[in-house]
Amino acid sequence: MNMDMKQSVVFFCFLFFLISSCKDDNQQRDAENKKMAEKKEVLYKNISKNWNFYATPINTTSEQSVASWTEFRQFLDELGQKPRKTLLAYQKKASELSKKAQLLKNNIPYQFQQPQIKSRIGTLITKVRLLDLFIHLDNLPDKKVILLIGEINAELVSLQRQMDKITEKSKIPVEEGESDMLRMLDTTRAIITTPTSLTPIKPNLSRVE
């Protein structure tokens, strides 16, 4: 076997191993892609099955607030629009929910500008932002996402019940006599209570023997 033939044999052997190696790499890559696709499909089905939010007002107060509180209405509308078909759609929806949730702290109706309401809104925003964070992780924890969905619903219910509680409390009529007592208390506070104003000054009278 001459040198040229030896070189040809070596070349074809190298080419054979190269093609075989590429084929094995492609098969492995295809297997990994298939496995990843199957995993995403399972995640999608689990999240889709449990993606159920309380997007409808639970009481009269909430229904009335939806009409005047734009940010609250838009947040509920976003909650009510369930994504379809892909996990990516749920990831985009979570981002939109996070944006809408953060706007809830703006333009809060006057009667609800109280610590109890602001605290609940803050907790709700935190839960929604966590949902957005976890659903975008490469190793997506679907159980944590599902847990957060339940927690968001719980916080949403708590917020609406507190709103209703404040509204109902404002409707309680002032008890008889309470209004007069408050007015008297205000009047008393307005009077300057000095010894001069409380003690009459007696004139110095000449002593009669």
Side-chain angles (χ1 to χ4, degrees):
M1 183 181 293
N2 58 34
M3 185 62 65
D4 290 338
M5 290 184 63
K6 288 181 179 180
Q7 290 178 346
S8 298
V9 170
V10 172
F11 174 76
F12 282 113
C13 288
F14 174 77
L15 185 61
F16 173 78
F17 284 117
L18 181 61
I19 293 173
S20 298
S21 178
C22 291
K23 184 178 180 181
D24 290 340
D25 289 344
N26 289 336
Q27 289 177 342
Q28 183 178 358
R29 191 179 300 108
D30 290 341
E32 290 176 352
N33 290 338
K34 183 179 179 181
K35 185 177 179 180
M36 183 63 68
E38 291 174 349
K39 182 179 179 180
K40 286 186 176 181
E41 182 65 19
V42 171
L43 291 172
Y44 163 75
K45 288 181 178 179
N46 287 343
I47 293 175
S48 178
K49 180 180 178 182
N50 294 276
W51 192 277
N52 299 303
F53 289 103
Y54 299 160
T56 304
I58 66 171
N59 51 47
T60 303
T61 299
S62 298
E63 291 176 353
Q64 294 173 346
S65 298
V66 164
S68 58
W69 188 3
T70 303
E71 289 77 8
F72 185 56
R73 181 179 68 253
Q74 291 177 344
F75 179 66
L76 291 182
D77 288 343
E78 198 70 45
L79 283 177
Q81 299 171 14
K82 187 173 182 177
R84 301 290 179 187
K85 297 182 179 180
T86 65
L87 182 60
L88 179 61
Y90 282 93
Q91 292 173 331
K92 290 181 178 179
K93 174 59 67 175
S95 296
E96 287 300 316
L97 284 174
S98 181
K99 293 177 183 178
K100 290 292 191 300
Q102 293 181 68
L103 294 176
L104 286 172
K105 56 188 176 184
N106 299 334
N107 301 317
I108 300 174
Y110 177 77
Q111 68 270 30
F112 299 138
Q113 292 182 13
Q114 300 188 22
Q116 308 96 306
I117 296 296
K118 293 181 179 180
S119 174
R120 285 167 172 78
I121 290 175
T123 303
L124 179 59
I125 291 173
T126 299
K127 298 293 183 181
V128 176
R129 293 183 69 181
L130 283 174
L131 173 68
D132 185 29
L133 172 65
F134 282 112
I135 203 171
H136 279 91
L137 294 177
D138 292 335
N139 189 16
L140 197 163
D142 55 327
K143 292 182 179 179
K144 181 61 178 178
V145 169
I146 293 169
L147 179 63
L148 280 167
I149 290 172
E151 291 178 354
I152 289 170
N153 280 331
E155 294 300 333
L156 193 56
V157 168
S158 177
L159 171 62
Q160 293 180 80
R161 285 178 175 170
Q162 185 62 39
M163 290 163 58
D164 189 56
K165 183 177 179 180
I166 292 173
T167 301
E168 292 301 316
K169 187 176 180 180
S170 68
K171 294 178 182 178
I172 299 176
V174 179
E175 294 184 5
E176 185 177 353
E178 183 177 347
S179 180
D180 293 337
M181 184 183 299
L182 291 174
R183 282 198 298 270
M184 290 175 62
L185 184 59
D186 291 338
T187 303
T188 303
R189 288 172 179 168
I191 297 175
I192 301 176
T193 56
T194 62
T196 303
S197 62
L198 295 177
T199 307
I201 300 176
K202 295 182 180 181
N204 290 327
L205 299 178
S206 300
R207 183 176 178 183
V208 178
E209 297 293 339

